[in-house]
Amino acid sequence: MLSAMHFITRHALNFFISSALLIISIVNFDIGLFGLAVLIGGYYMSNKLILTIQKRKRSKELGMTKEEYKHIEAQIKLAREQLNNLTQQYIRVRSIKSFKLLNETNKVAKRIINIVHTNPQKFYAVEDFFYAHLPSAVELADKYTLLTKEQVKGTDIHIALEDTRKTLKDLHGTIENDLKLALQSDIDQLKIELDFAKLANEQSREKIGGGGE
């Protein structure tokens, strides 16, 4: 939700504040290990405070309430954990076809999460991805790898594996649609900018043509 610049700024301020507290402590007190405690404690407290301020400022910039921002942040964190689980599953499958399917699903899901992390307002366009589609993909991948790991031959197992793989393929398509939804506002904005550029170019040509006459 916060950018890399937020991270750098926060920790630079943390270092400055904690160092200043340490210098003040050394000047005013005869300290030993207490100085290290001041440095660590000052760094920790300033980090918490600055992080809170940064998140509050960021939520206001986005036009969100503190609760909305916190909820989306929690959903992104959960989605990253689920994505990590999905990654662990797809490296365990024995079929190359299934590996490719889960790998592609993982890539698309990661793009959606990164897009929402950069622009939290897009969360509302892809809520189903966070609430249903990604969790379902992770759960099915877990069941699929469980079935393949058993190495039990039989019609029922084969049918179950095929059904699971087909459902995973359908979910992959659904998650690809989620990515399109996440990008839709950017695509619409690009179309507007292109139309404006074309109009400006046409008007410029008309002026040049009129001037030549």
Side-chain angles (χ1 to χ4, degrees):
M1 301 279 278
L2 296 177
S3 66
M5 187 54 65
H6 284 105
F7 178 86
I8 295 170
T9 301
R10 182 170 71 253
H11 285 282
L13 288 171
N14 292 337
F15 180 78
F16 175 79
I17 292 170
S18 57
S19 297
L21 288 173
L22 179 60
I23 292 170
I24 292 171
S25 300
I26 292 173
V27 170
N28 291 279
F29 304 99
D30 182 17
I31 56 174
L33 291 176
F34 180 69
L36 181 61
V38 169
L39 182 65
I40 295 173
Y43 197 96
Y44 175 79
M45 293 302 295
S46 64
N47 183 66
K48 295 285 286 184
L49 177 62
I50 295 170
L51 182 60
T52 300
I53 293 171
Q54 286 180 330
K55 287 183 177 181
R56 186 178 301 167
K57 183 179 179 181
R58 178 65 173 151
S59 64
K60 287 183 179 180
E61 289 174 353
L62 294 168
M64 293 179 175
T65 64
K66 183 173 66 175
E67 290 72 21
E68 282 180 301
Y69 186 91
K70 188 175 180 180
H71 175 71
I72 295 173
E73 186 178 43
Q75 290 300 316
I76 291 174
K77 182 180 178 181
L78 178 60
R80 291 193 189 282
E81 292 172 357
Q82 292 170 335
L83 196 63
N84 183 56
N85 193 341
L86 182 62
T87 302
Q88 293 175 6
Q89 298 303 326
Y90 79 69
I91 62 176
R92 295 173 184 167
V93 296
R94 301 175 184 274
S95 165
I96 294 177
K97 187 184 295 185
S98 299
F99 172 85
K100 288 182 178 179
L101 174 61
L102 293 178
N103 186 37
E104 287 301 315
T105 301
N106 181 284
K107 289 179 180 178
V108 177
K110 184 181 289 186
R111 285 190 64 189
I112 295 171
I113 294 169
N114 288 338
I115 287 170
V116 175
H117 179 269
T118 303
N119 189 350
Q121 290 172 320
K122 289 180 179 289
F123 172 81
Y124 297 106
V126 290
E127 286 181 279
D128 288 342
F129 166 79
F130 287 91
Y131 295 145
H133 303 159
L134 180 59
S136 295
V138 173
E139 184 178 355
L140 281 172
D142 182 57
K143 290 179 179 178
Y144 186 82
T145 54
L146 179 63
L147 287 172
T148 55
K149 188 168 60 177
E150 294 300 325
Q151 295 183 333
V152 177
K153 294 182 180 180
T155 305
D156 291 343
I157 292 292
H158 179 73
I159 292 174
L161 282 169
E162 283 301 311
D163 287 345
T164 305
R165 195 176 69 81
K166 183 179 180 302
T167 306
L168 279 169
K169 188 174 181 180
D170 292 340
L171 265 175
H172 173 70
T174 301
I175 291 175
E176 282 187 325
N177 288 332
D178 289 331
L179 177 59
K180 292 176 183 177
L181 289 173
L183 295 171
Q184 190 60 52
S185 60
D186 295 325
I187 295 171
D188 292 341
Q189 182 62 34
L190 179 60
K191 287 179 179 178
I192 292 172
E193 291 175 0
L194 286 173
D195 289 342
F196 180 79
K198 288 177 182 178
L199 179 61
N201 189 41
E202 289 174 0
Q203 290 176 342
S204 177
R205 286 180 179 178
E206 287 175 1
K207 286 181 181 180
I208 293 173
E213 293 176 358

